[in-house]
Amino acid sequence: MDLRVRALQTVLTDKGYIDPAALDVLIDTYQTKVGPRNGARVVARAWVDPDFRSWLRRDATAAIASLGYAGRQGEHMQVVENTPDTHHMVVCTLCSCYPWPVLGLPPAWYKSAPYRSRAVREPRAVLAEFGVTLPEATQVRVWDSTAELRYLVLPMRPAGTEGLDEAALADWVTRDSMIGTGLPRPPVSADALQPA
Ligand code: FE
């Protein structure tokens, strides 16, 4: 795949269709400026602000754009909200469609053939491999992203976070919890890294 992409880039550059410097700017943007912290801020806002949360349900694209996150691969967003009854999980069975403006570039496993096929066939087994075990009664819904529509999972606000403000809550939101292959978890604090 790398070789094919490089070959394609060479041909397009030679023909004058693309400018390698412009490509570098795009890649740098998504590697260093846009990433899952954007999505984490969306989730944290939804946890503290019921109006924002219902806006997300009605028109995720606009609600997310109101925080400044919009653009390529995020033109049409849908937020799927986890509840005690239903856990949502996102895949792109065809390729690797992913909501770039809120999550950055997809992790390698998201693009892998095993994830793309197994997420639909045996989602619970895949979740278990990610360390997520849900109650039997919880239904798992798998959403197949397309080039037109991208999904962001709104995880449940964890118990024990009642006293936290929006910024502190955002630190609990992991990338995987917004794909549905993980759950929010406490941030690793500097103290926790000190030897006891
Ligand atoms: Fe895709």
Short mmCIF file of all heavy atoms in Angstrom, two decimals, residues 70-134:
data_model
loop_
_atom_site.label_atom_id
_atom_site.label_comp_id
_atom_site.label_asym_id
_atom_site.label_seq_id
_atom_site.Cartn_x
_atom_site.Cartn_y
_atom_site.Cartn_z
N ALA A 70 -14.37 21.31 12.31
CA ALA A 70 -15.08 21.03 11.08
C ALA A 70 -14.04 20.80 9.99
O ALA A 70 -12.87 21.08 10.18
CB ALA A 70 -15.98 22.21 10.71
N GLY A 71 -14.51 20.30 8.88
CA GLY A 71 -13.60 20.15 7.76
C GLY A 71 -13.65 18.78 7.13
O GLY A 71 -14.59 18.02 7.36
N ARG A 72 -12.64 18.52 6.33
CA ARG A 72 -12.57 17.28 5.57
C ARG A 72 -12.85 16.07 6.43
O ARG A 72 -12.36 15.97 7.54
CB ARG A 72 -11.12 17.07 5.10
CG ARG A 72 -10.71 17.80 3.91
CD ARG A 72 -9.18 17.85 3.89
NE ARG A 72 -8.78 19.01 3.11
CZ ARG A 72 -8.76 19.00 1.79
NH1 ARG A 72 -9.02 17.91 1.12
NH2 ARG A 72 -8.44 20.09 1.14
N GLN A 73 -13.58 15.12 5.88
CA GLN A 73 -13.87 13.84 6.51
C GLN A 73 -14.70 14.03 7.79
O GLN A 73 -14.73 13.16 8.64
CB GLN A 73 -12.59 13.05 6.86
CG GLN A 73 -11.55 13.05 5.76
CD GLN A 73 -11.94 12.15 4.59
OE1 GLN A 73 -12.45 11.08 4.80
NE2 GLN A 73 -11.71 12.59 3.37
N GLY A 74 -15.32 15.22 7.90
CA GLY A 74 -16.20 15.41 9.04
C GLY A 74 -17.36 16.30 8.62
O GLY A 74 -17.98 16.96 9.44
N GLU A 75 -17.62 16.31 7.33
CA GLU A 75 -18.66 17.21 6.80
C GLU A 75 -20.04 16.81 7.27
O GLU A 75 -20.92 17.65 7.42
CB GLU A 75 -18.62 17.22 5.27
CG GLU A 75 -17.36 17.85 4.67
CD GLU A 75 -16.26 16.84 4.39
OE1 GLU A 75 -16.32 15.72 4.95
OE2 GLU A 75 -15.35 17.16 3.62
N HIS A 76 -20.24 15.51 7.49
CA HIS A 76 -21.53 15.02 7.96
C HIS A 76 -21.30 14.06 9.11
O HIS A 76 -20.85 12.94 8.92
CB HIS A 76 -22.31 14.32 6.83
CG HIS A 76 -22.57 15.24 5.67
ND1 HIS A 76 -23.49 16.25 5.72
CD2 HIS A 76 -21.98 15.33 4.47
CE1 HIS A 76 -23.47 16.91 4.58
NE2 HIS A 76 -22.56 16.39 3.80
N MET A 77 -21.61 14.55 10.30
CA MET A 77 -21.33 13.79 11.52
C MET A 77 -22.62 13.31 12.17
O MET A 77 -23.63 14.01 12.15
CB MET A 77 -20.59 14.67 12.52
CG MET A 77 -19.17 15.04 12.13
SD MET A 77 -18.06 13.62 12.16
CE MET A 77 -18.35 13.00 13.82
N GLN A 78 -22.56 12.13 12.75
CA GLN A 78 -23.65 11.67 13.61
C GLN A 78 -23.06 11.19 14.93
O GLN A 78 -22.05 10.48 14.93
CB GLN A 78 -24.43 10.53 12.94
CG GLN A 78 -25.63 10.10 13.79
CD GLN A 78 -26.52 9.11 13.08
OE1 GLN A 78 -26.60 9.06 11.85
NE2 GLN A 78 -27.21 8.29 13.85
N VAL A 79 -23.68 11.62 16.01
CA VAL A 79 -23.24 11.18 17.33
C VAL A 79 -24.16 10.06 17.81
O VAL A 79 -25.39 10.19 17.73
CB VAL A 79 -23.23 12.36 18.33
CG1 VAL A 79 -23.13 11.86 19.77
CG2 VAL A 79 -22.06 13.30 18.02
N VAL A 80 -23.57 8.97 18.24
CA VAL A 80 -24.36 7.87 18.78
C VAL A 80 -24.03 7.76 20.27
O VAL A 80 -22.87 7.74 20.66
CB VAL A 80 -24.10 6.53 18.02
CG1 VAL A 80 -24.77 6.58 16.66
CG2 VAL A 80 -22.61 6.25 17.85
N GLU A 81 -25.08 7.73 21.06
CA GLU A 81 -24.95 7.92 22.50
C GLU A 81 -25.07 6.59 23.25
O GLU A 81 -26.10 5.92 23.17
CB GLU A 81 -26.05 8.89 22.94
CG GLU A 81 -25.93 9.38 24.33
CD GLU A 81 -27.01 10.43 24.63
OE1 GLU A 81 -27.82 10.77 23.73
OE2 GLU A 81 -27.04 10.90 25.78
N ASN A 82 -24.02 6.25 23.98
CA ASN A 82 -24.08 5.02 24.79
C ASN A 82 -25.02 5.21 25.97
O ASN A 82 -25.08 6.28 26.57
CB ASN A 82 -22.69 4.66 25.32
CG ASN A 82 -21.81 4.04 24.24
OD1 ASN A 82 -22.28 3.69 23.17
ND2 ASN A 82 -20.53 3.92 24.55
N THR A 83 -25.73 4.13 26.29
CA THR A 83 -26.61 4.11 27.45
C THR A 83 -26.37 2.78 28.16
O THR A 83 -25.69 1.90 27.61
CB THR A 83 -28.09 4.20 27.03
OG1 THR A 83 -28.43 2.99 26.33
CG2 THR A 83 -28.38 5.40 26.14
N PRO A 84 -26.93 2.61 29.35
CA PRO A 84 -26.79 1.30 30.00
C PRO A 84 -27.35 0.17 29.12
O PRO A 84 -26.91 -0.96 29.22
CB PRO A 84 -27.61 1.46 31.28
CG PRO A 84 -27.57 2.93 31.57
CD PRO A 84 -27.60 3.60 30.22
N ASP A 85 -28.30 0.48 28.26
CA ASP A 85 -28.92 -0.54 27.42
C ASP A 85 -28.18 -0.82 26.12
O ASP A 85 -28.25 -1.90 25.57
CB ASP A 85 -30.36 -0.13 27.04
CG ASP A 85 -31.25 -0.01 28.25
OD1 ASP A 85 -31.01 -0.76 29.21
OD2 ASP A 85 -32.15 0.85 28.23
N THR A 86 -27.50 0.22 25.59
CA THR A 86 -26.92 0.09 24.26
C THR A 86 -25.50 0.65 24.23
O THR A 86 -25.26 1.78 24.67
CB THR A 86 -27.78 0.86 23.22
OG1 THR A 86 -29.14 0.45 23.36
CG2 THR A 86 -27.31 0.58 21.80
N HIS A 87 -24.59 -0.14 23.68
CA HIS A 87 -23.21 0.31 23.47
C HIS A 87 -22.97 0.40 21.96
O HIS A 87 -23.26 -0.53 21.22
CB HIS A 87 -22.24 -0.69 24.11
CG HIS A 87 -20.80 -0.31 23.92
ND1 HIS A 87 -20.12 0.49 24.82
CD2 HIS A 87 -19.93 -0.57 22.92
CE1 HIS A 87 -18.88 0.68 24.39
NE2 HIS A 87 -18.73 0.04 23.24
N HIS A 88 -22.44 1.53 21.55
CA HIS A 88 -22.19 1.74 20.13
C HIS A 88 -20.71 1.56 19.80
O HIS A 88 -19.83 1.88 20.61
CB HIS A 88 -22.61 3.15 19.72
CG HIS A 88 -24.06 3.42 19.93
ND1 HIS A 88 -25.04 2.90 19.09
CD2 HIS A 88 -24.72 4.12 20.89
CE1 HIS A 88 -26.23 3.29 19.53
NE2 HIS A 88 -26.06 4.03 20.61
N MET A 89 -20.47 1.07 18.59
CA MET A 89 -19.11 0.79 18.15
C MET A 89 -19.05 1.15 16.65
O MET A 89 -20.00 0.89 15.92
CB MET A 89 -18.88 -0.70 18.36
CG MET A 89 -17.52 -1.20 18.09
SD MET A 89 -17.56 -2.95 18.64
CE MET A 89 -16.15 -3.52 17.75
N VAL A 90 -17.94 1.75 16.24
CA VAL A 90 -17.85 2.25 14.87
C VAL A 90 -16.76 1.51 14.10
O VAL A 90 -15.69 1.21 14.62
CB VAL A 90 -17.55 3.77 14.87
CG1 VAL A 90 -17.49 4.29 13.44
CG2 VAL A 90 -18.58 4.53 15.68
N VAL A 91 -17.07 1.25 12.84
CA VAL A 91 -16.13 0.58 11.96
C VAL A 91 -16.34 1.17 10.57
O VAL A 91 -17.36 1.83 10.33
CB VAL A 91 -16.41 -0.96 11.95
CG1 VAL A 91 -17.77 -1.27 11.36
CG2 VAL A 91 -15.32 -1.73 11.20
N CYS A 92 -15.37 0.98 9.68
CA CYS A 92 -15.64 1.19 8.26
C CYS A 92 -15.30 -0.12 7.60
O CYS A 92 -14.13 -0.47 7.48
CB CYS A 92 -14.80 2.32 7.66
SG CYS A 92 -15.06 2.43 5.88
N THR A 93 -16.33 -0.89 7.24
CA THR A 93 -16.07 -2.22 6.70
C THR A 93 -15.42 -2.15 5.32
O THR A 93 -14.69 -3.05 4.93
CB THR A 93 -17.38 -3.04 6.58
OG1 THR A 93 -18.31 -2.30 5.81
CG2 THR A 93 -17.96 -3.33 7.96
N LEU A 94 -15.67 -1.06 4.62
CA LEU A 94 -15.17 -0.96 3.24
C LEU A 94 -13.72 -0.51 3.21
O LEU A 94 -12.92 -1.01 2.43
CB LEU A 94 -16.05 0.03 2.47
CG LEU A 94 -15.82 0.11 0.97
CD1 LEU A 94 -16.19 -1.22 0.32
CD2 LEU A 94 -16.67 1.23 0.37
N CYS A 95 -13.36 0.47 4.03
CA CYS A 95 -11.99 1.00 3.99
C CYS A 95 -11.61 1.53 5.36
O CYS A 95 -11.35 0.76 6.28
CB CYS A 95 -11.85 2.03 2.88
SG CYS A 95 -13.23 3.20 2.74
N SER A 96 -11.61 2.85 5.54
CA SER A 96 -11.14 3.37 6.83
C SER A 96 -11.77 4.73 7.14
O SER A 96 -11.15 5.56 7.77
CB SER A 96 -9.62 3.50 6.81
OG SER A 96 -9.23 4.34 5.74
N CYS A 97 -13.01 4.95 6.69
CA CYS A 97 -13.67 6.23 6.93
C CYS A 97 -13.73 6.51 8.43
O CYS A 97 -14.09 5.64 9.21
CB CYS A 97 -15.07 6.22 6.32
SG CYS A 97 -15.00 6.00 4.53
N TYR A 98 -13.42 7.75 8.80
CA TYR A 98 -13.14 8.09 10.19
C TYR A 98 -13.36 9.59 10.32
O TYR A 98 -13.07 10.34 9.38
CB TYR A 98 -11.68 7.73 10.44
CG TYR A 98 -11.18 7.70 11.86
CD1 TYR A 98 -11.57 6.69 12.74
CD2 TYR A 98 -10.25 8.63 12.30
CE1 TYR A 98 -11.06 6.64 14.03
CE2 TYR A 98 -9.74 8.58 13.59
CZ TYR A 98 -10.15 7.57 14.45
OH TYR A 98 -9.64 7.51 15.72
N PRO A 99 -13.86 10.06 11.47
CA PRO A 99 -14.13 11.51 11.59
C PRO A 99 -12.88 12.32 11.93
O PRO A 99 -12.60 12.57 13.10
CB PRO A 99 -15.16 11.54 12.73
CG PRO A 99 -14.80 10.37 13.59
CD PRO A 99 -14.26 9.32 12.67
N TRP A 100 -12.15 12.70 10.93
CA TRP A 100 -10.86 13.38 11.13
C TRP A 100 -10.92 14.62 12.01
O TRP A 100 -10.05 14.80 12.88
CB TRP A 100 -10.25 13.76 9.78
CG TRP A 100 -9.81 12.61 8.94
CD1 TRP A 100 -10.05 11.27 9.15
CD2 TRP A 100 -9.06 12.69 7.72
NE1 TRP A 100 -9.50 10.53 8.15
CE2 TRP A 100 -8.90 11.36 7.25
CE3 TRP A 100 -8.54 13.75 6.99
CZ2 TRP A 100 -8.21 11.08 6.08
CZ3 TRP A 100 -7.85 13.47 5.81
CH2 TRP A 100 -7.68 12.16 5.36
N PRO A 101 -11.90 15.53 11.82
CA PRO A 101 -11.83 16.79 12.60
C PRO A 101 -11.94 16.57 14.11
O PRO A 101 -11.44 17.38 14.88
CB PRO A 101 -13.03 17.61 12.09
CG PRO A 101 -13.31 17.04 10.73
CD PRO A 101 -12.99 15.58 10.84
N VAL A 102 -12.59 15.48 14.53
CA VAL A 102 -12.71 15.25 15.98
C VAL A 102 -11.75 14.19 16.51
O VAL A 102 -11.41 14.20 17.70
CB VAL A 102 -14.15 14.87 16.40
CG1 VAL A 102 -15.01 16.11 16.55
CG2 VAL A 102 -14.77 13.87 15.45
N LEU A 103 -11.30 13.29 15.66
CA LEU A 103 -10.44 12.21 16.17
C LEU A 103 -9.06 12.18 15.53
O LEU A 103 -8.22 11.37 15.92
CB LEU A 103 -11.12 10.84 15.99
CG LEU A 103 -12.39 10.59 16.81
CD1 LEU A 103 -12.86 9.15 16.64
CD2 LEU A 103 -12.18 10.90 18.28
N GLY A 104 -8.80 13.02 14.55
CA GLY A 104 -7.50 12.97 13.89
C GLY A 104 -7.45 11.81 12.90
O GLY A 104 -8.47 11.41 12.35
N LEU A 105 -6.27 11.25 12.70
CA LEU A 105 -6.13 10.14 11.76
C LEU A 105 -6.41 8.82 12.46
O LEU A 105 -6.14 8.66 13.64
CB LEU A 105 -4.71 10.13 11.17
CG LEU A 105 -4.37 11.38 10.35
CD1 LEU A 105 -2.90 11.31 9.90
CD2 LEU A 105 -5.28 11.51 9.15
N PRO A 106 -6.98 7.86 11.71
CA PRO A 106 -7.35 6.59 12.35
C PRO A 106 -6.13 5.78 12.78
O PRO A 106 -5.10 5.80 12.12
CB PRO A 106 -8.13 5.86 11.26
CG PRO A 106 -7.73 6.48 9.98
CD PRO A 106 -7.35 7.89 10.28
N PRO A 107 -6.28 5.04 13.90
CA PRO A 107 -5.20 4.13 14.30
C PRO A 107 -5.07 2.99 13.29
O PRO A 107 -6.02 2.68 12.56
CB PRO A 107 -5.68 3.60 15.66
CG PRO A 107 -7.15 3.81 15.68
CD PRO A 107 -7.43 5.00 14.80
N ALA A 108 -3.91 2.35 13.28
CA ALA A 108 -3.64 1.29 12.29
C ALA A 108 -4.67 0.16 12.39
O ALA A 108 -5.13 -0.36 11.37
CB ALA A 108 -2.23 0.75 12.47
N TRP A 109 -5.04 -0.19 13.63
CA TRP A 109 -5.97 -1.33 13.76
C TRP A 109 -7.33 -1.03 13.14
O TRP A 109 -8.02 -1.93 12.66
CB TRP A 109 -6.13 -1.77 15.21
CG TRP A 109 -6.54 -0.72 16.20
CD1 TRP A 109 -5.72 -0.05 17.06
CD2 TRP A 109 -7.86 -0.22 16.45
NE1 TRP A 109 -6.45 0.84 17.82
CE2 TRP A 109 -7.76 0.75 17.48
CE3 TRP A 109 -9.12 -0.50 15.92
CZ2 TRP A 109 -8.88 1.45 17.97
CZ3 TRP A 109 -10.23 0.18 16.40
CH2 TRP A 109 -10.10 1.14 17.41
N TYR A 110 -7.72 0.25 13.14
CA TYR A 110 -9.02 0.62 12.58
C TYR A 110 -9.07 0.32 11.08
O TYR A 110 -10.11 0.01 10.52
CB TYR A 110 -9.28 2.10 12.84
CG TYR A 110 -10.66 2.59 12.43
CD1 TYR A 110 -11.75 2.45 13.27
CD2 TYR A 110 -10.85 3.19 11.18
CE1 TYR A 110 -13.00 2.90 12.89
CE2 TYR A 110 -12.10 3.64 10.79
CZ TYR A 110 -13.18 3.49 11.65
OH TYR A 110 -14.42 3.94 11.27
N LYS A 111 -7.89 0.43 10.45
CA LYS A 111 -7.81 0.20 9.01
C LYS A 111 -7.56 -1.26 8.66
O LYS A 111 -7.58 -1.64 7.50
CB LYS A 111 -6.67 1.06 8.43
CG LYS A 111 -6.90 2.56 8.63
CD LYS A 111 -5.82 3.38 7.97
CE LYS A 111 -4.64 3.59 8.90
NZ LYS A 111 -3.66 4.56 8.36
N SER A 112 -7.30 -2.09 9.68
CA SER A 112 -6.92 -3.48 9.40
C SER A 112 -8.12 -4.32 8.98
O SER A 112 -9.25 -4.11 9.44
CB SER A 112 -6.27 -4.09 10.66
OG SER A 112 -7.27 -4.34 11.64
N ALA A 113 -7.85 -5.31 8.11
CA ALA A 113 -8.92 -6.20 7.65
C ALA A 113 -9.57 -6.97 8.80
O ALA A 113 -10.80 -7.10 8.83
CB ALA A 113 -8.38 -7.15 6.58
N PRO A 114 -8.79 -7.48 9.77
CA PRO A 114 -9.45 -8.22 10.85
C PRO A 114 -10.46 -7.36 11.63
O PRO A 114 -11.57 -7.81 11.92
CB PRO A 114 -8.29 -8.65 11.76
CG PRO A 114 -7.10 -8.66 10.88
CD PRO A 114 -7.34 -7.58 9.86
N TYR A 115 -10.09 -6.12 11.97
CA TYR A 115 -11.05 -5.28 12.70
C TYR A 115 -12.29 -5.03 11.85
O TYR A 115 -13.42 -5.13 12.33
CB TYR A 115 -10.42 -3.94 13.12
CG TYR A 115 -11.41 -3.05 13.85
CD1 TYR A 115 -11.79 -3.33 15.16
CD2 TYR A 115 -12.00 -1.96 13.21
CE1 TYR A 115 -12.73 -2.55 15.82
CE2 TYR A 115 -12.94 -1.17 13.86
CZ TYR A 115 -13.30 -1.47 15.16
OH TYR A 115 -14.23 -0.70 15.81
N ARG A 116 -12.07 -4.71 10.59
CA ARG A 116 -13.19 -4.35 9.72
C ARG A 116 -14.17 -5.50 9.55
O ARG A 116 -15.38 -5.29 9.42
CB ARG A 116 -12.67 -3.85 8.38
CG ARG A 116 -12.10 -2.43 8.52
CD ARG A 116 -11.14 -2.06 7.39
NE ARG A 116 -11.59 -2.56 6.13
CZ ARG A 116 -10.79 -2.88 5.12
NH1 ARG A 116 -9.47 -2.73 5.24
NH2 ARG A 116 -11.27 -3.32 3.99
N SER A 117 -13.67 -6.72 9.51
CA SER A 117 -14.59 -7.84 9.35
C SER A 117 -15.14 -8.32 10.69
O SER A 117 -16.33 -8.59 10.83
CB SER A 117 -13.91 -9.00 8.61
OG SER A 117 -12.72 -9.38 9.27
N ARG A 118 -14.28 -8.40 11.70
CA ARG A 118 -14.72 -8.99 12.97
C ARG A 118 -15.62 -8.06 13.78
O ARG A 118 -16.43 -8.53 14.57
CB ARG A 118 -13.50 -9.41 13.79
CG ARG A 118 -12.72 -10.54 13.12
CD ARG A 118 -11.57 -11.00 14.01
NE ARG A 118 -12.04 -11.40 15.32
CZ ARG A 118 -11.41 -11.11 16.47
NH1 ARG A 118 -10.27 -10.44 16.44
NH2 ARG A 118 -11.90 -11.50 17.63
N ALA A 119 -15.47 -6.74 13.58
CA ALA A 119 -16.30 -5.81 14.34
C ALA A 119 -17.78 -6.05 14.07
O ALA A 119 -18.62 -5.89 14.95
CB ALA A 119 -15.94 -4.36 13.98
N VAL A 120 -18.10 -6.47 12.86
CA VAL A 120 -19.50 -6.76 12.54
C VAL A 120 -19.89 -8.19 12.88
O VAL A 120 -21.01 -8.45 13.28
CB VAL A 120 -19.83 -6.52 11.04
CG1 VAL A 120 -20.55 -5.23 10.85
CG2 VAL A 120 -18.62 -6.58 10.17
N ARG A 121 -18.96 -9.11 12.72
CA ARG A 121 -19.27 -10.53 12.91
C ARG A 121 -19.32 -10.89 14.39
O ARG A 121 -20.19 -11.63 14.82
CB ARG A 121 -18.23 -11.38 12.19
CG ARG A 121 -18.83 -12.49 11.40
CD ARG A 121 -17.81 -13.22 10.53
NE ARG A 121 -16.55 -13.50 11.21
CZ ARG A 121 -15.35 -13.13 10.74
NH1 ARG A 121 -15.27 -12.48 9.62
NH2 ARG A 121 -14.25 -13.42 11.40
N GLU A 122 -18.33 -10.40 15.14
CA GLU A 122 -18.25 -10.79 16.56
C GLU A 122 -17.78 -9.59 17.39
O GLU A 122 -16.69 -9.60 17.94
CB GLU A 122 -17.31 -11.98 16.74
CG GLU A 122 -16.04 -11.89 15.88
CD GLU A 122 -15.07 -13.04 16.15
OE1 GLU A 122 -15.41 -13.93 16.95
OE2 GLU A 122 -13.97 -13.01 15.59
N PRO A 123 -18.67 -8.58 17.46
CA PRO A 123 -18.26 -7.34 18.16
C PRO A 123 -17.88 -7.56 19.61
O PRO A 123 -16.94 -6.94 20.11
CB PRO A 123 -19.50 -6.44 18.03
CG PRO A 123 -20.63 -7.34 17.65
CD PRO A 123 -20.03 -8.47 16.91
N ARG A 124 -18.57 -8.46 20.29
CA ARG A 124 -18.25 -8.68 21.70
C ARG A 124 -16.86 -9.27 21.89
O ARG A 124 -16.16 -8.93 22.84
CB ARG A 124 -19.29 -9.59 22.36
CG ARG A 124 -20.51 -8.84 22.78
CD ARG A 124 -21.54 -9.76 23.41
NE ARG A 124 -22.81 -9.07 23.50
CZ ARG A 124 -23.16 -8.29 24.51
NH1 ARG A 124 -22.36 -8.11 25.53
NH2 ARG A 124 -24.33 -7.68 24.50
N ALA A 125 -16.47 -10.15 20.98
CA ALA A 125 -15.12 -10.73 21.07
C ALA A 125 -14.08 -9.65 20.82
O ALA A 125 -13.04 -9.58 21.49
CB ALA A 125 -14.98 -11.87 20.06
N VAL A 126 -14.35 -8.79 19.85
CA VAL A 126 -13.42 -7.69 19.57
C VAL A 126 -13.33 -6.76 20.78
O VAL A 126 -12.24 -6.37 21.21
CB VAL A 126 -13.85 -6.91 18.31
CG1 VAL A 126 -12.99 -5.67 18.11
CG2 VAL A 126 -13.79 -7.81 17.08
N LEU A 127 -14.48 -6.44 21.35
CA LEU A 127 -14.49 -5.57 22.54
C LEU A 127 -13.68 -6.19 23.68
O LEU A 127 -12.91 -5.51 24.36
CB LEU A 127 -15.92 -5.31 23.00
CG LEU A 127 -16.73 -4.34 22.13
CD1 LEU A 127 -18.18 -4.27 22.61
CD2 LEU A 127 -16.11 -2.95 22.14
N ALA A 128 -13.83 -7.49 23.85
CA ALA A 128 -13.10 -8.17 24.93
C ALA A 128 -11.59 -8.03 24.71
O ALA A 128 -10.83 -7.84 25.66
CB ALA A 128 -13.50 -9.64 24.99
N GLU A 129 -11.16 -8.11 23.45
CA GLU A 129 -9.73 -7.96 23.17
C GLU A 129 -9.25 -6.54 23.46
O GLU A 129 -8.08 -6.32 23.74
CB GLU A 129 -9.44 -8.34 21.71
CG GLU A 129 -9.47 -9.85 21.52
CD GLU A 129 -9.51 -10.26 20.06
OE1 GLU A 129 -8.93 -9.56 19.22
OE2 GLU A 129 -10.15 -11.30 19.77
N PHE A 130 -10.15 -5.59 23.40
CA PHE A 130 -9.81 -4.22 23.77
C PHE A 130 -9.98 -4.00 25.28
O PHE A 130 -9.83 -2.89 25.77
CB PHE A 130 -10.69 -3.22 23.02
CG PHE A 130 -10.21 -2.90 21.64
CD1 PHE A 130 -10.69 -3.58 20.53
CD2 PHE A 130 -9.26 -1.90 21.43
CE1 PHE A 130 -10.25 -3.28 19.25
CE2 PHE A 130 -8.81 -1.59 20.16
CZ PHE A 130 -9.31 -2.28 19.06
N GLY A 131 -10.35 -5.06 25.99
CA GLY A 131 -10.49 -4.95 27.44
C GLY A 131 -11.85 -4.44 27.88
O GLY A 131 -12.02 -4.00 29.01
N VAL A 132 -12.82 -4.47 26.97
CA VAL A 132 -14.17 -3.98 27.30
C VAL A 132 -15.12 -5.17 27.43
O VAL A 132 -15.34 -5.89 26.47
CB VAL A 132 -14.70 -3.02 26.22
CG1 VAL A 132 -16.13 -2.59 26.53
CG2 VAL A 132 -13.79 -1.81 26.08
N THR A 133 -15.64 -5.37 28.62
CA THR A 133 -16.62 -6.42 28.83
C THR A 133 -17.91 -5.75 29.28
O THR A 133 -17.92 -5.02 30.27
CB THR A 133 -16.16 -7.41 29.92
OG1 THR A 133 -14.80 -7.74 29.65
CG2 THR A 133 -16.99 -8.66 29.88
N LEU A 134 -18.97 -5.98 28.54
CA LEU A 134 -20.25 -5.34 28.83
C LEU A 134 -21.19 -6.35 29.46
O LEU A 134 -21.05 -7.54 29.21
CB LEU A 134 -20.86 -4.81 27.53
CG LEU A 134 -20.03 -3.79 26.76
CD1 LEU A 134 -20.60 -3.60 25.36
CD2 LEU A 134 -19.97 -2.47 27.50
#
